[in-house]
Amino acid sequence: MLEKLMRSRPELFGKILNHPQKNQVQILYTQIDRDANNVPHFKSYSYNLDDLHYFFPASTVKLPTVIFALEKLNELKIKGLSRASTMITGADFTKQTHVDKDSSAANGMPSLEHYIKKILLVSDNDAYNRLYEWIGRAEINERLRRHGLSTSRILNRYAVKDTEETSRHTNPVSFYEGNKLIYSQPGQFDPQNYPLNLTNTSMGRAYMDSSDRLVEKPFNMANKNAFSLTDQQVVMKKLLFPEVFPESERFHLTKDDYRLIYTYMSKLPNESDFPRYNPSDYWPLYAKFLFYGANKEAVPQKGMRIFNKYGDSYGFIIDNAYIVDFENNVEFMLSAVVQSNEDGVYNDDRYEYKEVCYPFMKNLGRLIYEYELKRKKQHKPDLSKFRMNY
């Protein structure tokens, strides 16, 4: 069905459809139909989907990390410890860094809640690293297994040149209320490995190493983060529609946790005061790839909100989204990955994002949206749950 839809617009999708393996395209589209009680029912369609065919997931792994950080907090049940508690990150291993202030927060102090806002608004790497360190690598991967996310793993931080050794060591973390220590966690070490039987972990013809030297060998991604499209959409379903799952399978989140995530997943950078963003760096529709691409001049469609987590790295663009149009009672889930790396060299920052990846994402989201506008539904959905106060 997806291929037929795309082939109906050869001027938009012809080049990609003629080379789906070259561009490593995978798509998962899920229709949502509500019954008389407004309970959602799902029907999924895929194109080129292969959970064991590796793609680099980039920042999409930050969404489960946000969820697991809140789960851990809730399960600790420590009096006085909350998302807003001041979170001080220490350092007790090589390359680790210390954090005891955050000028982008209203009170100037770091906290789980503020890191979560920064991750969901603009995919802040440092904020993700701090949650990774707070949860710990072993616990992150144990929670992935607990939630049935069997073709995924989270092994390292981002943008700090994490090595095999440093990724296993996570920083000590302490939480305070004013000057009073509420909870302290020592640095952790994870000796475990998380093998997955993946294909396509050796890519391209060459790569630039950490010293910016060209190495004439394929780029090895065998020990990097992995997050299949199927698992990405399972996370989104559980997050947005917990009522569909048995209580034992739901995320351990409070109503307020859900609302925090929904708000900042769908909020635009220019709607945020703390943190506040420069619109030239983070324009209003920054990172809503599956409808707007990377168009800095695009105007938000009236009545539409996109709840998503995107990723971009090594020529891959990934987006995992729930798209809602309150005016036309449209809702659907769409997860997709596309890559362009014409020269076959990795880590050289020469990828065809603007020419290939962003247009593909924008066109795909709009194609499905137009299809959904015409799709007949027996029951009109009540989407009020997803109207946030921005």
Side-chain angles (χ1 to χ4, degrees):
M1 189 271 249
L2 275 170
E3 184 167 357
K4 187 179 175 184
L5 265 182
M6 289 190 287
R7 289 205 182 278
S8 73
R9 301 294 303 275
E11 74 281 10
L12 299 180
F13 299 102
K15 287 183 180 177
I16 291 272
L17 288 170
N18 292 336
H19 305 283
Q21 301 307 327
K22 175 186 173 185
N23 292 111
Q24 307 213 39
V25 176
Q26 294 188 48
I27 306 169
L28 183 57
Y29 157 49
T30 297
Q31 295 174 350
I32 303 169
D33 288 291
R34 305 277 180 158
D35 62 23
N37 297 314
N38 204 47
V39 175
H41 298 265
F42 308 107
K43 186 174 184 181
S44 296
Y45 299 88
S46 66
Y47 173 76
N48 219 29
L49 187 69
D50 182 350
D51 289 343
L52 297 179
H53 183 87
Y54 184 74
F55 62 86
F56 186 67
S59 293
T60 57
V61 302
K62 295 172 185 175
L63 182 57
T65 306
V66 161
I67 293 166
F68 298 163
L70 291 170
E71 282 195 324
K72 176 169 182 164
L73 181 75
N74 294 335
E75 289 165 15
L76 280 172
K77 294 179 180 172
I78 292 172
K79 188 179 178 183
L81 179 62
S82 75
R83 299 182 327 222
S85 299
T86 296
M87 176 178 167
I88 305 299
T89 301
D92 65 2
F93 194 73
T94 181
K95 290 178 75 174
Q96 290 184 358
T97 54
H98 178 88
V99 181
D100 60 5
K101 57 177 76 74
D102 186 338
S103 61
S104 70
N107 67 353
M109 302 306 289
S111 67
L112 281 178
E113 182 168 305
H114 198 67
Y115 284 141
I116 287 167
K117 291 176 182 180
K118 294 203 282 189
I119 288 169
L120 297 178
L121 282 165
V122 300
S123 205
D124 189 285
N125 282 321
D126 178 71
Y128 156 72
N129 294 343
R130 301 310 170 185
L131 297 197
Y132 173 93
E133 292 157 1
W134 145 245
I135 309 163
R137 192 174 98 149
E139 188 171 333
I140 288 172
N141 287 284
E142 190 275 324
R143 288 182 184 275
L144 287 171
R145 297 290 88 77
R146 188 191 304 177
H147 288 296
L149 306 169
S150 59
T151 47
S152 302
R153 66 185 175 205
I154 299 177
L155 302 180
N156 38 48
R157 303 169 181 84
Y158 281 150
V160 290
K161 297 185 178 177
D162 225 1
T163 65
E164 172 70 20
E165 183 184 27
T166 58
S167 66
R168 296 176 182 275
H169 290 264
T170 48
N171 310 39
V173 180
S174 300
F175 292 88
Y176 290 83
E177 186 178 342
N179 293 320
K180 181 187 173 188
L181 178 66
I182 307 169
Y183 177 73
S184 181
Q185 173 181 283
Q188 300 176 75
F189 172 71
D190 178 21
Q192 299 176 70
N193 296 312
Y194 303 93
L196 292 171
N197 189 25
L198 303 172
T199 59
N200 194 46
T201 55
S202 186
M203 297 186 197
R205 62 174 182 83
Y207 64 93
M208 304 297 290
D209 69 10
S210 57
S211 303
D212 288 331
R213 289 177 299 202
L214 183 68
V215 179
E216 298 278 0
K217 289 198 307 195
F219 189 49
N220 184 0
M221 297 199 185
N223 292 313
K224 294 191 179 295
N225 293 340
F227 194 18
S228 69
L229 278 197
T230 297
D231 282 358
Q232 290 198 28
Q233 207 164 95
V234 166
V235 168
M236 196 68 87
K237 271 185 197 165
K238 281 191 175 188
L239 182 63
L240 297 169
F241 310 105
E243 69 275 14
V244 173
F245 295 86
E247 205 160 326
S248 61
E249 294 178 19
R250 296 176 194 171
F251 295 126
H252 190 186
L253 302 175
T254 66
K255 274 188 179 178
D256 204 35
D257 292 337
Y258 281 115
R259 196 151 192 85
L260 173 74
I261 297 175
Y262 296 171
T263 297
Y264 284 89
M265 277 180 85
S266 57
K267 197 171 196 174
L268 305 179
N270 64 315
E271 294 172 324
S272 172
D273 290 326
F274 296 99
R276 184 182 292 276
Y277 294 103
N278 184 333
S280 62
D281 297 324
Y282 300 103
W283 56 97
L285 292 159
Y286 177 84
K288 302 298 180 187
F289 294 148
L290 272 170
F291 196 81
Y292 299 103
N295 183 358
K296 294 186 178 184
E297 309 306 319
V299 176
Q301 178 153 321
K302 189 182 176 193
M304 178 180 283
R305 283 287 171 173
I306 299 175
F307 299 73
N308 75 313
K309 187 68 205 74
Y310 80 96
D312 62 334
S313 192
Y314 297 129
F316 289 98
I317 294 289
I318 316 101
D319 205 351
N320 179 30
Y322 169 63
I323 298 177
V324 189
D325 176 352
F326 297 105
E327 302 242 325
N328 295 293
N329 294 304
V330 165
E331 60 172 338
F332 62 95
M333 299 176 72
L334 184 60
S335 307
V337 56
V338 62
Q339 191 212 31
S340 188
N341 185 8
E342 288 292 336
D343 66 6
V345 178
Y346 282 79
N347 226 19
D348 64 350
D349 290 330
R350 293 177 61 190
Y351 310 110
E352 296 72 41
Y353 288 134
K354 290 180 183 176
E355 299 82 1
V356 177
C357 301
Y358 295 139
F360 173 79
M361 285 294 194
K362 180 185 82 170
N363 294 332
L364 178 64
R366 289 176 180 247
L367 180 77
I368 301 299
Y369 172 71
E370 286 162 16
Y371 179 81
E372 283 281 341
L373 277 174
K374 299 171 191 164
R375 195 168 71 82
K376 296 277 189 290
K377 295 185 180 179
Q378 191 174 351
H379 300 281
K380 181 179 168 182
D382 176 0
L383 302 171
S384 56
K385 167 184 169 181
F386 298 108
R387 286 187 181 273
M388 303 291 113
N389 295 319
Y390 300 106

